[in-house]
Amino acid sequence: MSTTKKAAFEAELNTVPLLEYQQSQKLVQCFTSNGEGEQRMRLVEMENFRLWEYMMTTKHGLEILDPEPCLWIHQGDFDRKQDIFSHAPSVRAVNRVVLSIYDEAYGFSHFINRFVCAEDTDQLIDILKGHMQGRLNNGDECEVIVVEGYCVQRWQHESLPPLMVGLSC
């Protein structure tokens, strides 16, 4: 990447309002189960959940179990309102991982958000960078921003219907 383009990329990153990444985000917490019965917890943006669920079940053959809504809250907001959030039945340290990819051919950046339990952040970053290796070899630039926060789940009441998000099948 030329010095001029690299400077433009870095300037674009510096103008991205980090406040955007501090806004709360509605997520769906669920578990994936493979053919061997191994389960992994996943956190998916609520507006993308149905598409993600379709891809995981049809392309990867996974079963999606126990989808529950939760709210991701930036660490600073959580700390300021801890007296409110401390009453939630489940609070988990979750990081928002933002991958910024500068596309050399088109001259702009694309941002991808993923949410992951804090203890799994480094593993997710390694996986994302592995997926991006071909683009990095072709001159595209990539940067990772980690925003610390928490996922808060609400009380689950027996009379509530199952979670309905997006398109129904």
Side-chain angles (χ1 to χ4, degrees):
M1 177 183 284
S2 72
T3 307
T4 305
K5 288 181 181 177
K6 185 170 176 84
F9 171 73
E10 290 173 357
E12 184 176 342
L13 277 178
N14 290 334
T15 61
V16 172
L18 287 179
L19 289 176
E20 176 181 335
Y21 301 123
Q22 295 176 3
Q23 294 177 354
S24 63
Q25 175 69 47
K26 291 180 273 186
L27 302 174
V28 175
Q29 176 186 298
C30 63
F31 294 88
T32 57
S33 178
N34 64 17
E36 290 83 46
E38 298 170 328
Q39 292 188 4
R40 290 183 50 211
M41 188 186 78
R42 300 296 296 267
L43 295 156
V44 182
E45 292 166 306
M46 189 172 280
E47 60 270 15
N48 298 328
F49 179 72
R50 288 293 178 213
L51 177 60
W52 175 86
E53 179 183 39
Y54 176 80
M55 297 260 316
M56 293 299 112
T57 56
T58 59
K59 184 176 180 182
H60 299 293
L62 299 174
E63 183 180 1
I64 308 301
L65 307 169
D66 305 324
E68 294 289 336
C70 59
L71 181 66
W72 180 84
I73 301 164
H74 176 266
Q75 169 120 25
D77 288 343
F78 182 87
D79 290 345
R80 281 189 294 282
K81 301 173 185 173
Q82 191 167 10
D83 56 327
I84 296 169
F85 298 128
S86 65
H87 298 293
S90 175
V91 176
R92 178 184 318 268
V94 169
N95 290 335
R96 173 183 236 154
V97 177
V98 183
L99 179 66
S100 170
I101 308 157
Y102 178 78
D103 190 319
E104 179 84 20
Y106 293 100
F108 61 82
S109 292
H110 178 71
F111 297 91
I112 299 169
N113 290 283
R114 294 292 182 267
F115 294 86
V116 63
C117 289
E119 64 268 13
D120 298 329
T121 300
D122 291 336
Q123 180 183 7
L124 175 67
I125 291 171
D126 290 342
I127 291 168
L128 291 173
K129 284 185 175 180
H131 290 318
M132 297 307 303
Q133 196 58 50
R135 292 191 68 173
L136 296 173
N137 293 341
N138 290 335
D140 290 344
E141 192 73 31
C142 160
E143 183 170 359
V144 176
I145 301 167
V146 176
V147 184
E148 296 178 349
Y150 292 90
C151 267
V152 178
Q153 283 187 300
R154 63 176 173 79
W155 287 102
Q156 186 65 351
H157 193 274
E158 292 175 11
S159 66
L160 289 174
L163 177 64
M164 295 293 291
V165 293
L167 301 173
S168 298
C169 297

